């Protein structure tokens, strides 16, 4: 319902301490979605910053998808905030195994990293997902596990080596040398989406977990950033990180007093 400011001021509701140009939010609406819509240059980012000023002052946790790094200079606190962007030297140490320990976790990450497009044959996508899931799950027990070794196994190793490594898994048949053409096609599909992982190579020294960051009781913010030059290269990574963060929040016990904000500009 569209109201004037004067009309709204007469309504009785549980007013939040967050106000936009003198108009206070309904406190109960803070845990619901808020859409800021407008054409280029209409002030969407400036309005979001009015939210952020008050959210940061309150000390709530925030996960910010910051395409273009427009919020980073204004709100990043190096003492308690974290950055996910392999092209930023401040990027935290993250890899697949930071947020995955069971086969279901790897299945979820594979689906987020390898989306199913409208024009693609589901067989190739599902096969690529399965191959990534089983390989990453098996590698979790390797002492020398790393993003680099995962990529070597999936993208450069011969079919016999991969099949032997995956012996006993559902994906072993997908790389059988008897169906070489099919296996090569699956690997080519996998390579299209996994190339973004190569930018994470070398970030495994101290593993950062998105799940733990959200579940722990702290007031830091997580910035998932990119810029025009590198955005296409890490787009699938961004999708996966946001999926992990949102799925973690949805998996937590319901609490209307909890304040974890997702800001997607």
């Amino acid at each position: 319902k569209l109201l004037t400011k004067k009309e709204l001021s007469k309504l009785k509701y549980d007013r939040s301490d967050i106000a936009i140009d003198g108009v206070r939010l309904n406190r109960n609406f803070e845990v619901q979605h808020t859409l800021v819509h407008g054409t280029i240059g209409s002030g969407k980012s400036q309005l979001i910053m009015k939210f952020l000023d008050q959210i940061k002052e309150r000390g709530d946790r925030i996960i910010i998808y910051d395409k273009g790094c427009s919020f980073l200079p204004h709100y990043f606190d190096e003492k308690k905030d974290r950055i996910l962007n392999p092209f930023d030297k401040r990027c935290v140490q993250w890899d697949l195994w930071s947020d995955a320990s069971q086969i279901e976790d790897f299945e979820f990450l594979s689906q987020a990293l390898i989306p199913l497009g409208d024009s693609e044959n589901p067989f190739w996508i599902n096969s690529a997902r399965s191959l990534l899931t089983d390989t990453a799950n098996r590698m979790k027990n390797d002492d020398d596990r790393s993003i680099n070794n995962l990529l070597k196994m999936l993208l450069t190793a011969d079919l016999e080596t991969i099949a032997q490594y995956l012996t006993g898994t559902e994906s072993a048949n997908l790389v059988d040398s008897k169906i070489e053409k099919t296996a090569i096609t699956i690997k080519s599909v996998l390579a299209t989406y996994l190339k973004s992982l190569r930018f994470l190579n070398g970030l495994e020294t101290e593993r950062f977990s998105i799940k733990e960051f959200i579940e722990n009781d702290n007031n830091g913010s997580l910035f998932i950033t990119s810029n025009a030059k590198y955005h296409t290269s890490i787009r699938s990574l961004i999708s996966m990180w946001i999926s992990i963060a949102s799925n973690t929040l949805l998996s937590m016990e319901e609490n209307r007093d909890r304040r974890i904000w997702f800001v997607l500009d």
Side-chain angles (χ1 to χ4, degrees):
K1 187 175 181 181
L2 186 62
L3 300 175
T4 65
K5 183 178 177 181
K6 184 177 181 180
E7 290 171 331
L8 182 62
S9 66
K10 295 179 180 179
L11 295 182
K12 294 181 179 180
Y13 62 93
D14 185 8
R15 285 171 166 75
S16 165
D17 58 346
I18 294 179
I20 302 300
D21 296 330
V23 178
R24 294 195 176 277
L25 268 62
N26 186 322
R27 177 169 170 76
N28 294 323
F29 289 176
E30 288 185 13
V31 292
Q32 299 183 15
H33 300 304
T34 300
L35 172 66
V36 180
H37 175 66
T39 189
I40 296 174
S42 59
K44 298 185 298 298
S45 295
Q46 284 73 20
L47 178 55
I48 291 173
M49 290 176 75
K50 292 182 179 182
F51 274 99
L52 287 173
D53 287 340
Q54 298 170 83
I55 295 170
K56 290 286 284 186
E57 184 177 356
R58 182 196 276 182
D60 293 347
R61 276 177 290 172
I62 314 172
I63 291 86
I64 304 177
Y65 169 46
D66 189 8
K67 183 181 179 182
C69 302
S70 56
F71 298 126
L72 198 65
H74 301 282
Y75 299 104
F76 179 71
D77 183 344
E78 62 181 11
K79 294 181 180 179
K80 59 184 179 181
D81 296 341
R82 300 291 184 269
I83 295 176
L84 278 170
N85 180 348
F87 297 107
D88 191 314
K89 62 181 181 181
R90 298 166 294 182
C91 181
V92 293
Q93 313 285 334
W94 186 91
D95 64 17
L96 282 170
W97 301 277
S98 300
D99 285 301
S101 58
Q102 302 177 11
I103 188 69
E104 295 81 8
D105 298 328
F106 293 107
E107 287 176 347
F108 172 78
L109 295 186
S110 297
Q111 291 173 11
L113 191 64
I114 308 174
L116 181 61
D118 295 333
S119 60
E120 295 163 314
N121 188 326
F123 171 78
W124 304 116
I125 296 297
N126 290 329
S127 296
R129 288 174 173 176
S130 179
L131 193 56
L132 173 59
T133 295
D134 286 338
T135 305
N137 185 54
R138 172 116 336 155
M139 194 169 285
K140 72 182 180 184
N141 298 316
D142 294 354
D143 293 333
D144 61 343
R145 76 180 189 200
S146 67
I147 292 293
N148 189 46
N149 286 344
L150 177 68
L151 294 177
K152 283 183 177 179
M153 177 61 68
L154 289 173
L155 304 182
T156 63
D158 57 58
L159 295 179
E160 184 178 351
T161 300
I162 303 175
Q164 185 176 0
Y165 186 77
L166 295 176
T167 299
T169 69
E170 296 179 0
S171 299
N173 292 331
L174 296 175
V175 287
D176 193 316
S177 58
K178 296 179 182 178
I179 54 168
E180 183 177 359
K181 289 184 178 180
T182 299
I184 291 175
T185 302
I186 294 172
K187 286 186 64 177
S188 66
V189 172
L190 196 57
T192 300
Y193 294 99
L194 289 196
K195 59 184 180 181
S196 62
L197 290 180
R198 71 181 185 270
F199 299 116
L200 296 176
N201 189 34
L203 291 179
E204 305 97 335
T205 308
E206 299 177 4
R207 290 183 169 89
F208 169 82
S209 169
I210 298 173
K211 287 183 180 179
E212 292 178 5
F213 182 82
I214 293 176
E215 292 173 347
N216 290 343
D217 187 15
N218 63 67
N219 60 354
S221 300
L222 178 62
F223 290 79
I224 301 174
T225 69
S226 69
N227 58 35
K229 183 177 180 180
Y230 299 114
H231 179 74
T232 302
S233 300
I234 61 173
R235 184 167 50 191
S236 56
L237 279 178
I238 292 170
S239 297
M240 181 171 59
W241 287 331
I242 293 176
S243 295
I244 294 171
S246 58
N247 190 61
T248 298
L249 181 60
L250 291 172
S251 300
M252 297 171 70
E253 184 178 346
E254 185 174 333
N255 181 352
R256 294 191 68 84
D257 293 324
R258 181 191 298 120
R259 292 294 182 269
I260 302 178
W261 300 78
F262 279 70
V263 178
L264 311 174
D265 188 9

